[in-house]
Amino acid sequence: MTVWAGSKTHWRRYNSEAAFFNTDYCVFNDASLKKELTLTKEKFEQMEKVVEEKDHKLQKFDLVCAILGAKSKKHQFVDDFAYLITHDFQDFCSIETNVNNVMTKTKLDDILGEMRRIANCPEIYSKTLVAVGGGVRSGKSSFINSFITGGNIKLVEARGQGATTAIPSYVMSAKKSEINGINYKGVRFAIAPEMYAAISQEFLRSFLFDLKEIIQYTMVHCFLNADLFNNICLIDTPSVATEKDFPTALNYIKEASILIWTVSIDKGTIPKDNFKFLEKTPFGQNSDKLLYIVANKAELKGPTAVKDILNQIKEYLDNQDIRYEGISAYSSKRRRELAYRKIGVTDFLRACTIPSKIYAKVSDSLKEVWSYYEKEIQRDYDENKEKYNKVNSMLLDILQSGRNNVDDTLIKLEKGLKSLKKSFESKSDKKNLEDRLKCLNDISKKFQDCFDKFCDANGIDRRIKSLKDKPLLKSRDDQTDAGKRQTSDAAKDKPLPKPRDDQTDAGKRQTMKGEPLPKSRDDQTDAGKRQTKEAAYYIWVNRGYPVGQDDEIWAEAEREMKEAE
């Protein structure tokens, strides 16, 4: 249909659908036709809303189908571990009948479930987990987005006054951008970027059930600064608005080694409800749970105000006796730090690569199972030994009482005691105990070897053998200049380089004795260079750096050594 619009001297033809319904710019002689077109336009807009609602429902339906229809992939070492439970362990249980095998099997099944979760997303468990938490509109998601260097994937940032982050996201650096979800079974499924962008608190409320019951979290692979995030996985956690939100937030940050707590700088300091939450966490309380504070949206304040706010936060943290690694005034909008206290946020991220503790956690659970059996076997042996000794003592008493008053009852009692003694004799034999413990050692080794191979296949760090071991990275407040607390097994029995003052005293003694002083750095021999590298290595160890990024770490360690000299 052709519609004419414009003035009497200038006419322009519109054939598009948009112009057809835009009656404000059309000239019609028939008023009834104009009214009819207006009604048609309204109906068209209503139809668009209906179609949009149907598309929205279809998206929700597709999401639920993807969550419920996700299938777990087979993993060799997971299957091997399951085989050990159903065969080798059952055979072991048929021998150790005096132990509560039901309880131990439940623990092994739990470990198997943990291995399945790791196998579905090993990239999370192989990295240092850094939780990013904070109150409503504190800028958690925007803080993480500021480190994303490209691609079409971004975390959903706050809209309006309410909380946005509905389901926690595990964000990590990758060469390919993709988003996956983990369902209630721990199985991975794909999520389209458009659907991920729509997931918010409001989106969750549109369902007739709680979507969080069937989806645990999402994994976001995106282009992050590899220099900072090659070995780090960031957790974008739900906001903490009231005490009702505490359990949910605590649940998602408990596995993290580090907590970056964000506050909006326009608050002036950390809100009191934030402190209530932090007091319930181990972060800032335990030396292996590090806390860093980010005052976000720093571009809203001037330089003087920023410094004053950082000083207020520092003073408040010190007064509350909360240990922290540093405070940063950061602008997510400008992607840069404006000021900091103690250590800047990027330097902190470079230094906070801590080996994953998942290996130690599962290994400790396995050890608990076998330790329980060891105690029960020893207890059973001790009880049988005690019974054997008591029966033997009773027989000796009968023999010592003499044979003058022997009757049938005494003879029967003697026979019964001898039979009882014989039954306890084999169970109280030392060789029997050794055989049982050897059998326990064999099966425990099979399970541990299987789990070790599983970790190696999935890139899980095995350096921390137990949660009781000292962490490789300690709070800076715990690190002395001389490195008194050595945090690596490799450096336990090796002396640290002497402090500068001690070296000076040694040099004075050499001078007094007429001995030659050490050569200058330029004149150092190969042996001297090796000593320099060894000194740099020990500094690196005491800084808590794990293995990796050799060139950069060695250079930084040597720089620190030079400054110390």
Side-chain angles (χ1 to χ4, degrees):
M1 179 177 180
T2 301
V3 181
W4 297 95
S7 63
K8 292 182 179 180
T9 57
H10 182 74
W11 298 86
R12 190 174 179 184
R13 178 171 293 180
Y14 287 85
N15 292 313
S16 66
E17 185 179 20
F20 176 75
F21 289 112
N22 195 352
T23 58
D24 293 336
Y25 296 93
C26 298
V27 180
F28 296 99
N29 294 326
D30 192 346
S32 61
L33 180 58
K34 184 176 181 179
K35 183 178 180 181
E36 185 178 345
L37 289 173
T38 303
L39 292 173
T40 305
K41 179 184 177 182
E42 292 176 355
K43 289 181 180 179
F44 181 77
E45 291 174 349
Q46 290 176 358
M47 289 176 63
E48 280 186 327
K49 289 182 180 179
V50 171
V51 171
E52 186 178 343
E53 288 177 0
K54 287 185 176 180
D55 287 342
H56 186 62
K57 289 180 179 179
L58 284 173
Q59 285 182 339
K60 291 164 61 178
F61 178 77
D62 290 341
L63 177 62
V64 173
C65 287
I67 295 171
L68 300 179
K71 294 183 179 180
S72 178
K73 295 180 180 179
K74 286 192 174 183
H75 301 276
Q76 177 189 345
F77 297 112
V78 174
D79 293 341
D80 290 348
F81 197 91
Y83 182 88
L84 287 174
I85 294 176
T86 54
H87 292 80
D88 296 57
F89 180 71
Q90 290 299 332
D91 294 341
F92 177 76
C93 291
S94 64
I95 299 172
E96 297 298 336
T97 55
N98 295 327
V99 183
N100 186 352
N101 294 309
V102 175
M103 180 186 70
T104 51
K105 185 179 183 301
T106 301
K107 287 186 177 181
L108 289 174
D109 287 337
D110 291 341
I111 293 172
L112 179 63
E114 185 77 7
M115 290 174 65
R116 287 198 175 103
R117 285 190 288 273
I118 296 171
N120 283 313
C121 44
E123 57 268 51
I124 288 179
Y125 296 96
S126 61
K127 296 179 182 290
T128 301
L129 293 182
V130 179
V132 181
V136 178
R137 295 184 59 79
S138 62
K140 300 182 301 298
S141 300
S142 62
F143 173 76
I144 296 175
N145 282 337
S146 70
F147 294 102
I148 298 177
T149 57
N152 62 339
I153 292 178
K154 296 277 187 181
L155 300 185
V156 182
E157 297 184 12
R159 296 186 292 263
Q161 297 299 318
T164 302
T165 305
I167 296 173
S169 295
Y170 288 73
V171 186
M172 62 204 83
S173 177
K175 295 180 179 179
K176 179 183 177 182
S177 295
E178 62 176 351
I179 302 174
N180 294 284
I182 302 298
N183 69 6
Y184 64 103
K185 293 181 179 178
V187 182
R188 182 194 300 228
F189 62 94
I191 301 178
E194 299 79 14
M195 173 54 67
Y196 177 76
I199 297 176
S200 62
Q201 296 284 1
E202 183 180 353
F203 178 77
L204 292 188
R205 286 192 290 270
S206 67
F207 285 83
L208 298 177
F209 64 95
D210 188 359
L211 188 67
K212 289 184 285 187
E213 292 181 356
I214 60 173
I215 178 171
Q216 297 183 49
Y217 54 85
T218 59
M219 295 191 305
V220 180
H221 297 79
C222 55
F223 300 110
L224 287 168
N225 186 337
D227 180 44
L228 298 177
F229 299 102
N230 190 41
N231 295 309
I232 288 177
C233 174
L234 297 172
I235 311 174
D236 184 25
T237 62
S239 300
V240 176
T242 64
E243 291 191 18
K244 292 181 180 179
D245 302 320
F246 286 8
T248 303
L250 286 169
N251 182 54
Y252 290 120
I253 70 171
K254 65 183 180 182
E255 297 295 337
S257 301
I258 298 158
L259 173 62
I260 295 179
W261 191 259
T262 61
V263 295
S264 181
I265 203 167
D266 55 6
K267 301 285 185 183
T269 185
I270 302 179
K272 290 183 178 180
D273 57 343
N274 286 198
F275 275 111
K276 288 182 180 179
F277 176 79
L278 291 174
E279 287 174 353
K280 294 182 179 294
T281 74
F283 297 94
Q285 317 292 335
N286 299 344
S287 59
D288 60 338
K289 292 285 188 177
L290 307 184
L291 173 66
Y292 192 92
I293 306 296
V294 170
N296 205 356
K297 307 178 185 178
E299 74 279 357
L300 300 177
K301 300 289 184 179
T304 304
V306 166
K307 291 180 181 179
D308 291 342
I309 291 172
L310 289 185
N311 291 334
Q312 289 175 19
I313 294 175
K314 180 181 183 299
E315 183 180 355
Y316 200 97
L317 288 168
D318 291 338
N319 292 338
Q320 297 294 322
D321 199 26
I322 295 177
R323 201 159 38 175
Y324 59 95
E325 303 305 302
I327 309 170
S328 172
Y330 189 81
S331 172
S332 297
K333 186 177 181 180
R334 298 178 183 175
R335 297 174 178 252
R336 70 187 188 92
E337 187 175 64
L338 303 184
Y340 66 87
R341 297 290 180 269
K342 295 180 76 171
I343 183 174
V345 64
T346 53
D347 289 335
F348 173 70
L349 288 171
R350 283 191 184 94
C352 69
T353 300
I354 303 171
S356 170
K357 294 182 180 179
I358 192 65
Y359 176 80
K361 176 186 174 184
V362 178
S363 292
D364 284 352
S365 297
L366 274 172
K367 289 173 185 176
E368 286 178 7
V369 171
W370 311 127
S371 176
Y372 170 75
Y373 271 105
E374 184 178 2
K375 290 177 182 177
E376 288 298 304
I377 289 172
Q378 187 65 50
R379 182 191 59 78
D380 184 56
Y381 169 79
D382 292 340
E383 286 183 357
N384 283 298
K385 187 70 174 177
E386 185 180 0
K387 291 174 183 177
Y388 172 81
N389 291 335
K390 286 182 177 180
V391 172
N392 192 49
S393 177
M394 293 172 68
L395 282 170
L396 290 174
D397 290 343
I398 292 174
L399 292 173
Q400 289 175 0
S401 65
R403 295 286 181 174
N404 298 326
N405 300 317
V406 175
D407 56 16
D408 292 340
T409 303
L410 191 61
I411 293 172
K412 289 180 181 179
L413 177 61
E414 185 178 356
K415 287 182 179 180
L417 288 174
K418 286 182 178 179
S419 176
L420 193 60
K421 176 185 175 181
K422 190 174 181 180
S423 67
F424 289 136
E425 188 173 8
S426 60
K427 294 180 181 179
S428 60
D429 183 37
K430 191 71 175 178
K431 189 178 183 307
N432 176 263
L433 173 64
E434 292 173 354
D435 291 342
R436 292 172 72 184
L437 291 177
K438 184 180 181 301
C439 185
L440 172 64
N441 183 64
D442 291 342
I443 191 170
S444 65
K445 190 174 185 302
K446 285 183 181 180
F447 275 90
Q448 189 64 51
D449 288 346
C450 181
F451 181 64
D452 288 350
K453 291 176 182 177
F454 166 80
C455 289
D456 292 340
N458 289 281
I460 305 300
D461 199 313
R462 294 202 286 127
R463 278 177 292 171
I464 299 182
K465 305 297 183 184
S466 172
L467 293 177
K468 297 176 183 178
D469 293 345
K470 293 181 180 180
L472 290 185
L473 174 63
K474 285 196 169 188
S475 170
R476 289 178 177 266
D477 294 338
D478 291 342
Q479 292 177 341
T480 61
D481 294 337
K484 292 178 181 178
R485 298 185 182 93
Q486 295 181 344
T487 55
S488 172
D489 292 339
K492 274 185 179 178
D493 300 323
K494 297 181 181 179
L496 290 168
K498 292 183 179 180
R500 177 66 177 174
D501 294 339
D502 292 344
Q503 291 173 343
T504 304
D505 293 340
K508 289 177 181 177
R509 288 194 295 272
Q510 285 178 335
T511 304
M512 293 174 66
K513 293 179 181 179
E515 297 176 2
L517 290 172
K519 293 182 180 181
S520 65
R521 187 174 297 276
D522 296 333
D523 296 333
Q524 283 181 332
T525 61
D526 292 338
K529 289 179 181 179
R530 283 196 298 273
Q531 289 177 350
T532 301
K533 287 185 177 181
E534 286 176 4
Y537 171 77
Y538 290 129
I539 290 175
W540 167 61
V541 168
N542 290 298
R543 284 173 64 86
Y545 286 97
V547 177
Q549 301 176 343
D550 294 327
D551 294 338
E552 179 186 350
I553 291 173
W554 274 83
E556 187 170 352
E558 287 197 84
R559 282 198 300 273
E560 182 177 337
M561 186 187 67
K562 291 175 184 177
E563 291 173 1
E565 293 179 352

